[in-house]
């Protein structure tokens, strides 16, 4: 049983006010979309389980970023539940990949918004 004092509010991601940062986020969305389209062809030697996890993470980043750009904010708990529920309808066994990927993706997009990606290791970053 959760005590009233233990109840927390969902994190909310908001679109930065900096127009240059928003444009960088739009370009990043395009990069994610292209990455998903070409991933299988460009990574044929990769083990399918790893490929599935990589695609799940990129799909989550794309989904979060698209909602952020379209609506100006993402309520993490609501968005993650809707996203995972949708994925589970498509494929019952995909829940674990997407649940793990969501946590990583949300933190990356949040850092892009707050710092421009200063705390994100690896990847191509914001340009």
């Amino acid at each position: 049983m959760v005590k009233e004092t233990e109840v927390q509010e969902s994190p909310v991601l908001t679109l930065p006010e900096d127009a240059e940062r928003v444009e960088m986020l739009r370009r990043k969305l395009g990069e994610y979309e292209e990455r998903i389209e070409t991933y299988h062809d460009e990574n044929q030697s990769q083990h399918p389980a790893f490929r599935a996890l990589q695609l799940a993470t990129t799909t989550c980043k794309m989904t979060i970023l698209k909602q952020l750009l379209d609506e100006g904010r993402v309520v993490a708990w609501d968005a993650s539940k809707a996203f995972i529920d949708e994925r589970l309808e498509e494929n019952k066994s995909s829940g674990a990949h997407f649940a793990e990927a969501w946590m990583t993706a949300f933190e990356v997009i949040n850092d892009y918004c707050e710092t421009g990606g200063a705390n994100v290791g690896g990847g191509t970053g914001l340009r």
Side-chain angles (χ1 to χ4, degrees):
M1 183 168 154
V2 176
K3 294 180 182 179
E4 190 64 30
T5 57
E6 294 175 349
V7 175
Q8 299 176 350
E9 291 187 27
S10 174
V12 177
L13 184 59
T14 55
L15 192 63
E17 293 183 17
D18 179 358
E20 184 178 342
R21 176 78 46 87
V22 172
E23 185 54 36
M24 293 168 86
L25 292 169
R26 288 188 196 289
R27 286 192 296 268
K28 193 65 173 180
L29 177 61
E31 180 184 324
Y32 290 146
E33 291 169 340
E34 183 179 332
R35 194 180 297 172
I36 287 172
E37 286 180 25
T38 61
Y39 198 85
H40 286 291
D41 290 340
E42 293 177 1
N43 298 282
Q44 291 180 9
S45 64
Q46 196 172 54
H47 189 278
F50 182 69
R51 192 169 42 216
L53 184 55
Q54 290 292 92
L55 282 170
T57 303
T58 302
T59 300
C60 289
K61 289 175 187 176
M62 184 183 72
T63 300
I64 294 165
L65 196 48
K66 183 164 180 20
Q67 182 177 346
L68 181 63
L69 290 166
D70 288 349
E71 300 175 17
R73 65 192 296 249
V74 177
V75 178
W77 294 351
D78 296 344
S80 66
K81 180 165 181 3
F83 178 80
I84 299 299
D85 286 350
E86 181 181 308
R87 295 295 168 198
L88 287 173
E89 276 186 34
E90 292 177 15
N91 180 349
K92 295 277 187 217
S93 67
S94 68
H97 278 304
F98 283 106
E100 182 179 339
W102 183 274
M103 292 184 294
T104 301
F106 190 87
E107 293 305 317
V108 168
I109 301 302
N110 184 56
D111 194 68
Y112 283 160
C113 290
E114 289 183 357
T115 72
N119 302 307
V120 176
T124 58
L126 286 182
R127 300 181 252 161

